Amino acid sequence: MNILRIDSSPRGASSVSRELADVLQQKLEAQGNTITAQRDLYYEALVTLGNEDRVNAYFTPPEAQTDVQKDAVAGSNELAIEFANADAYIIAAPMYNFGVTAGLKTYIDLISRAGISFNYLPEGPIGLLKNKKAYVVVTTGGTPVGSEVDFVTPYLKTFLGFLGITDVIFIVADLVNVNLEEGIAKAKDVISKI
Ligand SMILES: Cc1cc2nc3c(=O)[nH]c(=O)nc-3n(C[C@H](O)[C@H](O)[C@H](O)COP(=O)(O)O)c2cc1C
């Protein structure tokens, strides 16, 4: 499998989600899979959807686009096509203020594209990304994953499902600020069974 790895913690060496994504990556590589692309969403400083002009670029024919709109579409196309081309994903998604980090949300806004990752049909939207597998590493400090204030796992499950990605494995290290060892051990146990 060609894997796209996505990190989204602002923390570097001390990041728990990066550490666990590394362990998972080693496991998947040992099974013959390859990381073919990598995105570090906090350090890449993605250009956001920005403003109305940039958002309207998606609905403007190429010949009528301004230079700013061409730039908006090109940046989004690059990310969305790269995402669509992967067979599998490692997504490291730490919880910050009950949701995903701003970097991951920005990325999601850029890869969610009609005609590339989903389409509108008369009966509603349909995901275009089929036969993909997603491994999502979720870390939290004090919020239990699965609780009513966990807006990371249901959000990512919904978003990935919207794109057609329904084979999703969550690798959870929650409550790491309460008991770091226990959280990491729980996640590593899931990785050991992959
Ligand atoms: C700004 C900030 C906001 C956070 N918000 C939450 C939160 O809402 N719930 C929670 O359980 N942990 C929260 N945490 C703790 C992180 O989820 C925890 O430190 C986790 O290890 C983050 O993953 P990382 O180490 O890969 O960055 C927050 C930490 C920071 C720095």
Side-chain angles (χ1 to χ4, degrees), residues 114-137:
I116 300 178
S117 41
F118 72 95
N119 253 337
Y120 287 113
L121 297 182
E123 56 272 27
I126 180 171
L128 295 177
L129 308 184
K130 299 294 180 196
N131 303 315
K132 315 276 190 190
K133 198 169 181 80
Y135 302 91
V136 182
V137 176

PDB file of all heavy atoms in Angstrom, residues 114-137:
ATOM      1  N   ALA A 114     -15.366  18.739  -4.455  1.00  0.00           N
ATOM      2  CA  ALA A 114     -16.294  18.125  -5.408  1.00  0.00           C
ATOM      3  C   ALA A 114     -15.538  17.834  -6.697  1.00  0.00           C
ATOM      4  O   ALA A 114     -14.786  18.672  -7.186  1.00  0.00           O
ATOM      5  CB  ALA A 114     -17.462  19.062  -5.673  1.00  0.00           C
ATOM      6  N   GLY A 115     -15.706  16.619  -7.192  1.00  0.00           N
ATOM      7  CA  GLY A 115     -15.030  16.221  -8.430  1.00  0.00           C
ATOM      8  C   GLY A 115     -13.719  15.518  -8.190  1.00  0.00           C
ATOM      9  O   GLY A 115     -13.201  14.834  -9.070  1.00  0.00           O
ATOM     10  N   ILE A 116     -13.137  15.661  -6.993  1.00  0.00           N
ATOM     11  CA  ILE A 116     -11.882  14.964  -6.679  1.00  0.00           C
ATOM     12  C   ILE A 116     -12.111  13.953  -5.559  1.00  0.00           C
ATOM     13  O   ILE A 116     -11.794  12.777  -5.687  1.00  0.00           O
ATOM     14  CB  ILE A 116     -10.763  15.956  -6.285  1.00  0.00           C
ATOM     15  CG1 ILE A 116     -10.477  16.936  -7.420  1.00  0.00           C
ATOM     16  CG2 ILE A 116      -9.482  15.189  -5.904  1.00  0.00           C
ATOM     17  CD1 ILE A 116      -9.425  17.996  -7.113  1.00  0.00           C
ATOM     18  N   SER A 117     -12.657  14.419  -4.448  1.00  0.00           N
ATOM     19  CA  SER A 117     -12.839  13.503  -3.312  1.00  0.00           C
ATOM     20  C   SER A 117     -14.306  13.137  -3.055  1.00  0.00           C
ATOM     21  O   SER A 117     -14.581  12.155  -2.379  1.00  0.00           O
ATOM     22  CB  SER A 117     -12.190  14.081  -2.051  1.00  0.00           C
ATOM     23  OG  SER A 117     -12.418  15.465  -1.928  1.00  0.00           O
ATOM     24  N   PHE A 118     -15.223  13.923  -3.574  1.00  0.00           N
ATOM     25  CA  PHE A 118     -16.641  13.545  -3.495  1.00  0.00           C
ATOM     26  C   PHE A 118     -17.375  14.166  -4.676  1.00  0.00           C
ATOM     27  O   PHE A 118     -16.815  15.004  -5.387  1.00  0.00           O
ATOM     28  CB  PHE A 118     -17.272  13.999  -2.169  1.00  0.00           C
ATOM     29  CG  PHE A 118     -17.480  15.485  -2.061  1.00  0.00           C
ATOM     30  CD1 PHE A 118     -18.705  16.050  -2.385  1.00  0.00           C
ATOM     31  CD2 PHE A 118     -16.451  16.324  -1.662  1.00  0.00           C
ATOM     32  CE1 PHE A 118     -18.907  17.433  -2.300  1.00  0.00           C
ATOM     33  CE2 PHE A 118     -16.637  17.701  -1.587  1.00  0.00           C
ATOM     34  CZ  PHE A 118     -17.863  18.251  -1.907  1.00  0.00           C
ATOM     35  N   ASN A 119     -18.585  13.721  -4.885  1.00  0.00           N
ATOM     36  CA  ASN A 119     -19.409  14.309  -5.945  1.00  0.00           C
ATOM     37  C   ASN A 119     -20.827  14.491  -5.456  1.00  0.00           C
ATOM     38  O   ASN A 119     -21.261  13.779  -4.552  1.00  0.00           O
ATOM     39  CB  ASN A 119     -19.446  13.381  -7.172  1.00  0.00           C
ATOM     40  CG  ASN A 119     -18.608  13.959  -8.302  1.00  0.00           C
ATOM     41  OD1 ASN A 119     -18.368  15.160  -8.365  1.00  0.00           O
ATOM     42  ND2 ASN A 119     -18.160  13.084  -9.188  1.00  0.00           N
ATOM     43  N   TYR A 120     -21.509  15.422  -6.045  1.00  0.00           N
ATOM     44  CA  TYR A 120     -22.934  15.576  -5.754  1.00  0.00           C
ATOM     45  C   TYR A 120     -23.733  14.782  -6.776  1.00  0.00           C
ATOM     46  O   TYR A 120     -23.536  14.940  -7.981  1.00  0.00           O
ATOM     47  CB  TYR A 120     -23.343  17.044  -5.829  1.00  0.00           C
ATOM     48  CG  TYR A 120     -22.851  17.865  -4.657  1.00  0.00           C
ATOM     49  CD1 TYR A 120     -21.909  18.861  -4.834  1.00  0.00           C
ATOM     50  CD2 TYR A 120     -23.333  17.624  -3.370  1.00  0.00           C
ATOM     51  CE1 TYR A 120     -21.448  19.615  -3.755  1.00  0.00           C
ATOM     52  CE2 TYR A 120     -22.876  18.375  -2.293  1.00  0.00           C
ATOM     53  CZ  TYR A 120     -21.941  19.361  -2.497  1.00  0.00           C
ATOM     54  OH  TYR A 120     -21.498  20.092  -1.437  1.00  0.00           O
ATOM     55  N   LEU A 121     -24.608  13.926  -6.307  1.00  0.00           N
ATOM     56  CA  LEU A 121     -25.550  13.221  -7.165  1.00  0.00           C
ATOM     57  C   LEU A 121     -26.938  13.741  -6.822  1.00  0.00           C
ATOM     58  O   LEU A 121     -27.123  14.375  -5.778  1.00  0.00           O
ATOM     59  CB  LEU A 121     -25.474  11.710  -6.904  1.00  0.00           C
ATOM     60  CG  LEU A 121     -24.144  11.021  -7.225  1.00  0.00           C
ATOM     61  CD1 LEU A 121     -24.245   9.525  -6.953  1.00  0.00           C
ATOM     62  CD2 LEU A 121     -23.737  11.280  -8.668  1.00  0.00           C
ATOM     63  N   PRO A 122     -27.922  13.468  -7.674  1.00  0.00           N
ATOM     64  CA  PRO A 122     -29.276  13.953  -7.370  1.00  0.00           C
ATOM     65  C   PRO A 122     -29.744  13.508  -5.982  1.00  0.00           C
ATOM     66  O   PRO A 122     -30.440  14.242  -5.279  1.00  0.00           O
ATOM     67  CB  PRO A 122     -30.135  13.313  -8.466  1.00  0.00           C
ATOM     68  CG  PRO A 122     -29.189  13.035  -9.578  1.00  0.00           C
ATOM     69  CD  PRO A 122     -27.848  12.768  -8.964  1.00  0.00           C
ATOM     70  N   GLU A 123     -29.316  12.312  -5.564  1.00  0.00           N
ATOM     71  CA  GLU A 123     -29.778  11.811  -4.258  1.00  0.00           C
ATOM     72  C   GLU A 123     -28.901  12.271  -3.094  1.00  0.00           C
ATOM     73  O   GLU A 123     -29.172  11.959  -1.939  1.00  0.00           O
ATOM     74  CB  GLU A 123     -29.913  10.277  -4.270  1.00  0.00           C
ATOM     75  CG  GLU A 123     -28.669   9.522  -4.665  1.00  0.00           C
ATOM     76  CD  GLU A 123     -28.530   9.310  -6.183  1.00  0.00           C
ATOM     77  OE1 GLU A 123     -29.056  10.129  -6.968  1.00  0.00           O
ATOM     78  OE2 GLU A 123     -27.853   8.344  -6.575  1.00  0.00           O
ATOM     79  N   GLY A 124     -27.852  13.032  -3.394  1.00  0.00           N
ATOM     80  CA  GLY A 124     -26.997  13.550  -2.320  1.00  0.00           C
ATOM     81  C   GLY A 124     -25.536  13.349  -2.633  1.00  0.00           C
ATOM     82  O   GLY A 124     -25.187  12.804  -3.681  1.00  0.00           O
ATOM     83  N   PRO A 125     -24.644  13.773  -1.722  1.00  0.00           N
ATOM     84  CA  PRO A 125     -23.214  13.645  -1.986  1.00  0.00           C
ATOM     85  C   PRO A 125     -22.743  12.191  -1.873  1.00  0.00           C
ATOM     86  O   PRO A 125     -23.291  11.422  -1.082  1.00  0.00           O
ATOM     87  CB  PRO A 125     -22.567  14.507  -0.907  1.00  0.00           C
ATOM     88  CG  PRO A 125     -23.609  14.727   0.123  1.00  0.00           C
ATOM     89  CD  PRO A 125     -24.939  14.461  -0.473  1.00  0.00           C
ATOM     90  N   ILE A 126     -21.734  11.863  -2.675  1.00  0.00           N
ATOM     91  CA  ILE A 126     -21.177  10.514  -2.632  1.00  0.00           C
ATOM     92  C   ILE A 126     -19.652  10.612  -2.608  1.00  0.00           C
ATOM     93  O   ILE A 126     -19.062  11.394  -3.366  1.00  0.00           O
ATOM     94  CB  ILE A 126     -21.664   9.664  -3.832  1.00  0.00           C
ATOM     95  CG1 ILE A 126     -21.073   8.264  -3.779  1.00  0.00           C
ATOM     96  CG2 ILE A 126     -21.352  10.327  -5.155  1.00  0.00           C
ATOM     97  CD1 ILE A 126     -21.659   7.309  -4.771  1.00  0.00           C
ATOM     98  N   GLY A 127     -19.017   9.831  -1.716  1.00  0.00           N
ATOM     99  CA  GLY A 127     -17.563   9.832  -1.627  1.00  0.00           C
ATOM    100  C   GLY A 127     -16.947   9.131  -2.815  1.00  0.00           C
ATOM    101  O   GLY A 127     -17.469   8.120  -3.291  1.00  0.00           O
ATOM    102  N   LEU A 128     -15.836   9.660  -3.305  1.00  0.00           N
ATOM    103  CA  LEU A 128     -15.180   9.075  -4.478  1.00  0.00           C
ATOM    104  C   LEU A 128     -13.972   8.219  -4.104  1.00  0.00           C
ATOM    105  O   LEU A 128     -13.374   7.602  -4.971  1.00  0.00           O
ATOM    106  CB  LEU A 128     -14.721  10.195  -5.427  1.00  0.00           C
ATOM    107  CG  LEU A 128     -15.831  11.023  -6.068  1.00  0.00           C
ATOM    108  CD1 LEU A 128     -15.238  12.130  -6.931  1.00  0.00           C
ATOM    109  CD2 LEU A 128     -16.745  10.128  -6.904  1.00  0.00           C
ATOM    110  N   LEU A 129     -13.603   8.211  -2.825  1.00  0.00           N
ATOM    111  CA  LEU A 129     -12.387   7.499  -2.432  1.00  0.00           C
ATOM    112  C   LEU A 129     -12.765   6.109  -1.913  1.00  0.00           C
ATOM    113  O   LEU A 129     -13.233   5.971  -0.791  1.00  0.00           O
ATOM    114  CB  LEU A 129     -11.625   8.311  -1.382  1.00  0.00           C
ATOM    115  CG  LEU A 129     -11.352   9.767  -1.784  1.00  0.00           C
ATOM    116  CD1 LEU A 129     -10.500  10.466  -0.734  1.00  0.00           C
ATOM    117  CD2 LEU A 129     -10.680   9.844  -3.154  1.00  0.00           C
ATOM    118  N   LYS A 130     -12.565   5.116  -2.764  1.00  0.00           N
ATOM    119  CA  LYS A 130     -13.011   3.765  -2.426  1.00  0.00           C
ATOM    120  C   LYS A 130     -11.802   2.862  -2.178  1.00  0.00           C
ATOM    121  O   LYS A 130     -10.722   3.091  -2.707  1.00  0.00           O
ATOM    122  CB  LYS A 130     -13.856   3.183  -3.564  1.00  0.00           C
ATOM    123  CG  LYS A 130     -15.113   3.998  -3.851  1.00  0.00           C
ATOM    124  CD  LYS A 130     -16.087   3.959  -2.680  1.00  0.00           C
ATOM    125  CE  LYS A 130     -17.341   4.758  -2.963  1.00  0.00           C
ATOM    126  NZ  LYS A 130     -18.118   5.068  -1.771  1.00  0.00           N
ATOM    127  N   ASN A 131     -12.037   1.811  -1.392  1.00  0.00           N
ATOM    128  CA  ASN A 131     -11.006   0.802  -1.096  1.00  0.00           C
ATOM    129  C   ASN A 131      -9.752   1.407  -0.467  1.00  0.00           C
ATOM    130  O   ASN A 131      -8.629   1.059  -0.805  1.00  0.00           O
ATOM    131  CB  ASN A 131     -10.626   0.025  -2.364  1.00  0.00           C
ATOM    132  CG  ASN A 131     -11.838  -0.630  -2.989  1.00  0.00           C
ATOM    133  OD1 ASN A 131     -12.650  -1.243  -2.286  1.00  0.00           O
ATOM    134  ND2 ASN A 131     -12.004  -0.465  -4.283  1.00  0.00           N
ATOM    135  N   LYS A 132      -9.955   2.343   0.415  1.00  0.00           N
ATOM    136  CA  LYS A 132      -8.843   2.962   1.151  1.00  0.00           C
ATOM    137  C   LYS A 132      -8.920   2.508   2.607  1.00  0.00           C
ATOM    138  O   LYS A 132      -9.973   2.082   3.085  1.00  0.00           O
ATOM    139  CB  LYS A 132      -8.946   4.487   1.128  1.00  0.00           C
ATOM    140  CG  LYS A 132      -9.270   5.098  -0.218  1.00  0.00           C
ATOM    141  CD  LYS A 132      -8.053   5.274  -1.063  1.00  0.00           C
ATOM    142  CE  LYS A 132      -8.356   6.095  -2.302  1.00  0.00           C
ATOM    143  NZ  LYS A 132      -7.254   6.101  -3.257  1.00  0.00           N
ATOM    144  N   LYS A 133      -7.781   2.664   3.283  1.00  0.00           N
ATOM    145  CA  LYS A 133      -7.740   2.310   4.699  1.00  0.00           C
ATOM    146  C   LYS A 133      -7.139   3.475   5.481  1.00  0.00           C
ATOM    147  O   LYS A 133      -6.130   4.031   5.057  1.00  0.00           O
ATOM    148  CB  LYS A 133      -6.866   1.067   4.868  1.00  0.00           C
ATOM    149  CG  LYS A 133      -7.058   0.348   6.176  1.00  0.00           C
ATOM    150  CD  LYS A 133      -6.355  -1.004   6.152  1.00  0.00           C
ATOM    151  CE  LYS A 133      -6.570  -1.737   7.448  1.00  0.00           C
ATOM    152  NZ  LYS A 133      -7.843  -2.411   7.556  1.00  0.00           N
ATOM    153  N   ALA A 134      -7.755   3.828   6.586  1.00  0.00           N
ATOM    154  CA  ALA A 134      -7.222   4.934   7.389  1.00  0.00           C
ATOM    155  C   ALA A 134      -6.887   4.461   8.795  1.00  0.00           C
ATOM    156  O   ALA A 134      -7.689   3.769   9.431  1.00  0.00           O
ATOM    157  CB  ALA A 134      -8.233   6.078   7.443  1.00  0.00           C
ATOM    158  N   TYR A 135      -5.692   4.811   9.239  1.00  0.00           N
ATOM    159  CA  TYR A 135      -5.273   4.569  10.617  1.00  0.00           C
ATOM    160  C   TYR A 135      -5.199   5.942  11.277  1.00  0.00           C
ATOM    161  O   TYR A 135      -4.406   6.793  10.847  1.00  0.00           O
ATOM    162  CB  TYR A 135      -3.893   3.918  10.669  1.00  0.00           C
ATOM    163  CG  TYR A 135      -3.811   2.600   9.932  1.00  0.00           C
ATOM    164  CD1 TYR A 135      -3.437   2.556   8.588  1.00  0.00           C
ATOM    165  CD2 TYR A 135      -4.101   1.395  10.580  1.00  0.00           C
ATOM    166  CE1 TYR A 135      -3.358   1.351   7.903  1.00  0.00           C
ATOM    167  CE2 TYR A 135      -4.021   0.187   9.902  1.00  0.00           C
ATOM    168  CZ  TYR A 135      -3.648   0.170   8.568  1.00  0.00           C
ATOM    169  OH  TYR A 135      -3.572  -1.017   7.895  1.00  0.00           O
ATOM    170  N   VAL A 136      -6.011   6.155  12.283  1.00  0.00           N
ATOM    171  CA  VAL A 136      -6.081   7.471  12.905  1.00  0.00           C
ATOM    172  C   VAL A 136      -5.591   7.371  14.352  1.00  0.00           C
ATOM    173  O   VAL A 136      -6.183   6.667  15.179  1.00  0.00           O
ATOM    174  CB  VAL A 136      -7.516   8.026  12.875  1.00  0.00           C
ATOM    175  CG1 VAL A 136      -7.552   9.426  13.488  1.00  0.00           C
ATOM    176  CG2 VAL A 136      -8.060   8.061  11.452  1.00  0.00           C
ATOM    177  N   VAL A 137      -4.485   8.054  14.642  1.00  0.00           N
ATOM    178  CA  VAL A 137      -3.945   8.093  16.005  1.00  0.00           C
ATOM    179  C   VAL A 137      -4.566   9.285  16.723  1.00  0.00           C
ATOM    180  O   VAL A 137      -4.417  10.425  16.274  1.00  0.00           O
ATOM    181  CB  VAL A 137      -2.411   8.235  15.988  1.00  0.00           C
ATOM    182  CG1 VAL A 137      -1.880   8.375  17.415  1.00  0.00           C
ATOM    183  CG2 VAL A 137      -1.762   7.056  15.278  1.00  0.00           C
TER     184      VAL A 137
END
